[in-house]
Amino acid sequence: MDRIRIRGGAPLHGSIPISGAKNAALPLMIASLLTDETLELGNVPRLADISSLLRIMSNFGVDHTIAGRRPGQTTETGQTIRLTSRAVIDTCAPYELVSTMRASFWVIAPLLARFGHAKVSMPGGCAIGTRPVDLLIMALARLGATIEIDGGYVIGTAPKGLKGAEIDFPKVTVGGTHVALMAATLADGVTVIRNAAREPEVADLAACLVKMGAKIEGAGTSEIVVTGVSRLGGASHDVLPDRIETGTYAMAVAMTGGDVVLENTRPELLQFALDVLQQSGTEVTPTFGGVRIRRNGNGIQSVDVTTDPFPGFPTDLQAQFMALMTRANGTSRIRETIFENRFMHVQELARLGAQIRLDGDSAYVEGVAGLKGAPVMATDLRASVSLVIAGLVADGETTINRVYHLDRGFEALEAKLARCGAEIERLRG
Ligand code: EPZ
């Protein structure tokens, strides 16, 4: 199994190209199941999760081609994937495939909307908590699907098609909103989705669906109105920049000190997190097509944060911010309100010398003068990258095990950091 070895201490200088967002690319790929025409997606990151979803889609009979590199593209930039769901031969997503990636459960929406039936394995538990799918099922039932749970599978039927409805989510759910949105595009009549997730990835999915012929208003706000159409067509769409990758490298620069321009991204996608970084003593300057992150000389100030749905502080940056706070002056309280078990990185950061006390949904991080390298591992992707950030300033050598977690969500991580001066390498085997 591959490992990543880091020698801490080098400040970061230079530029890093930001990839397309994994969490936008996945629902966009799934949306291709809504049409028999070709959906072309550009700026798709090269990630293990993308390959896993392609395998699941191939199982349904979806054809795909991956376009070669465009002139000027490097392996650090995205690929173009064309998906055609003309000859769908199966509407069952088995446990072996769905359990490798939770988001694949979302295929249930387009399958039900277009074919009137779907059988998708329940995704099961995962490293960051129980993560139920009850609200996704509720949304489909509201749209008129008959839902049965049998042998670990959710079996949905709607032989006469879905019907527009009012869907009130009692809690903000990104996956629930994606599912409701996709299903409603082909439902008969008007659907109103209330307390919808406002995440940019939802707005990106809606923008692509509109290009495919869907009628959607209000995506990106908490009330989305969808007027169903009888069919959707092909389209071409570029995946939006990855705000979590942007925030991760911004925190890495805040941690090591230095001066880095993050390219091909949009600061407004993560304004809250960038404001927090500024409060911690890092300079954040929007540039043409990106954002410049700089910390020279001054120390890191502790800041309290609470994770919240967009536009709040993202749970997917909580671990990385905690790594930064391990070196701050003072104590920071970090409250996790989205997932109940998203503190696995705490024990591993402690192995590097961090002082962190857990109390319910909060972590109290007392900044220390220095971290010391050690072998570490983590059980999810954002936790793993928080260890990379800590390793970048730890004295001596840090080895991150279970690199496959990083490969699920960070394209060319070592190359992007190494080009800015980090001493980081992948050890194969
Ligand atoms: C998406 O997961 C992201 N995944 C997650 O990113 C991200 O952490 C999360 O949204 C929150 O921003 C993808 O986009 C592929 P939710 P999702 O439904 O949609 C509860 C990463 O590292 N809930 O918004 O699964 C749930 O337990 C990943 O890239 C229910 O109770 O998250 C949680 O407490 C990890 N019932 C809250 O809602 C349901 O039916 C928000 O979850 C569904 C969710």
Side-chain angles (χ1 to χ4, degrees):
M1 242 184 276
D2 289 3
R3 287 169 298 149
I4 283 186
R5 184 165 63 196
I6 305 171
R7 239 171 213 294
L12 297 174
H13 285 276
S15 64
I16 297 179
I18 297 301
S19 299
K22 164 181 85 80
N23 288 350
L26 296 173
L28 287 167
M29 288 165 67
I30 289 172
S32 71
L33 286 164
L34 287 165
T35 174
D36 61 358
E37 293 182 17
T38 300
L39 179 64
E40 180 182 86
L41 298 174
N43 199 31
V44 180
R46 291 176 172 79
L47 295 171
D49 271 9
I50 300 293
S51 312
S52 302
L53 183 58
L54 280 176
R55 266 196 299 282
I56 294 169
M57 308 267 293
S58 301
N59 222 41
F60 297 141
V62 176
D63 278 338
H64 72 264
T65 57
I66 301 182
R69 220 178 280 167
R70 288 180 186 157
Q73 278 190 335
T74 67
T75 49
E76 290 164 26
T77 54
Q79 53 195 346
T80 297
I81 300 185
R82 292 191 191 88
L83 296 138
T84 313
S85 307
R86 189 165 302 129
V88 171
I89 49 172
D90 198 355
T91 54
C92 175
Y95 178 67
E96 309 82 78
L97 296 179
V98 177
S99 59
T100 63
M101 194 200 6
R102 280 186 59 82
S104 58
F105 182 82
W106 303 342
V107 297
I108 194 168
L111 291 176
L112 251 176
R114 187 166 148 217
F115 303 103
H117 50 88
K119 181 175 174 186
V120 181
S121 169
M122 307 265 284
C126 82
I128 60 176
T130 48
R131 298 183 78 189
V133 288
D134 56 322
L135 299 177
L136 284 65
I137 291 174
M138 176 279 279
L140 295 170
R142 292 287 305 152
L143 291 167
T146 303
I147 305 280
E148 207 187 311
I149 297 177
D150 188 26
Y153 280 80
V154 179
I155 302 159
T157 45
K160 294 193 180 133
L162 298 172
K163 274 194 98 50
E166 306 213 342
I167 301 171
D168 287 274
F169 283 114
K171 177 175 197 173
V172 176
T173 154
V174 174
T177 307
H178 285 323
V179 157
L181 189 56
M182 283 191 270
T185 57
L186 290 181
D188 181 21
V190 176
T191 298
V192 182
I193 306 170
R194 297 205 180 85
N195 200 21
R198 289 179 282 167
E199 269 65 5
E201 293 75 19
V202 170
D204 203 41
L205 172 64
C208 178
L209 291 169
V210 166
K211 288 181 194 166
M212 293 165 73
K215 294 201 173 124
I216 301 169
E217 278 167 41
T221 74
S222 52
E223 184 167 305
I224 306 178
V225 180
V226 185
T227 305
V229 295
S230 56
R231 67 179 296 277
L232 294 176
S236 180
H237 183 81
D238 279 343
V239 177
L240 95 166
D242 195 319
R243 64 195 167 98
I244 304 303
E245 192 196 22
T246 307
T248 299
Y249 290 124
M251 285 177 199
V253 180
M255 184 69 145
T256 61
D259 188 351
V260 172
V261 176
L262 305 175
E263 297 169 337
N264 314 330
T265 189
R266 291 171 16 212
E268 73 274 14
L269 296 174
L270 68 159
Q271 201 55 58
F272 197 109
L274 292 178
D275 289 348
V276 167
L277 267 190
Q278 267 181 322
Q279 290 163 36
S280 78
T282 305
E283 278 178 53
V284 176
T285 321
T287 60
F288 184 73
V291 59
R292 180 176 177 189
I293 308 293
R294 194 150 62 127
R295 187 173 69 79
N296 287 326
N298 50 334
I300 303 166
Q301 297 309 314
S302 61
V303 185
D304 294 343
V305 301
T306 298
T307 62
D308 263 320
F310 190 84
F313 190 94
T315 173
D316 290 347
L317 283 175
Q318 179 256 109
Q320 298 89 315
F321 186 70
M322 191 180 299
L324 177 65
M325 289 297 100
T326 64
R327 291 294 314 279
N329 296 317
T331 299
S332 153
R333 177 185 181 191
I334 299 178
R335 241 187 106 216
E336 172 58 57
T337 70
I338 309 290
F339 293 111
E340 81 276 17
N341 186 28
R342 211 173 193 183
F343 282 136
M344 297 84 57
H345 40 285
V346 167
Q347 291 310 320
E348 297 299 303
L349 287 169
R351 288 172 53 75
L352 299 171
Q355 296 286 333
I356 305 168
R357 180 173 62 80
L358 283 180
D359 185 4
D361 66 359
S362 297
Y364 294 85
V365 188
E366 192 188 320
V368 294
L371 299 174
K372 206 163 164 10
V376 285
M377 69 166 89
T379 45
D380 93 284
L381 117 98
R382 312 303 177 188
S384 296
V385 86
S386 77
L387 300 173
V388 172
I389 292 176
L392 289 173
V393 296
D395 237 11
E397 202 172 282
T398 297
T399 320
I400 322 274
N401 294 290
R402 297 197 186 169
V403 170
Y404 56 83
H405 287 298
L406 290 169
D407 293 337
R408 291 186 60 179
F410 288 94
E411 185 175 24
L413 175 90
E414 325 79 275
K416 288 184 182 188
L417 286 170
R419 64 187 260 162
C420 292
E423 279 192 58
I424 179 168
E425 64 179 331
R426 180 179 291 244
L427 307 173
R428 306 260 170 206

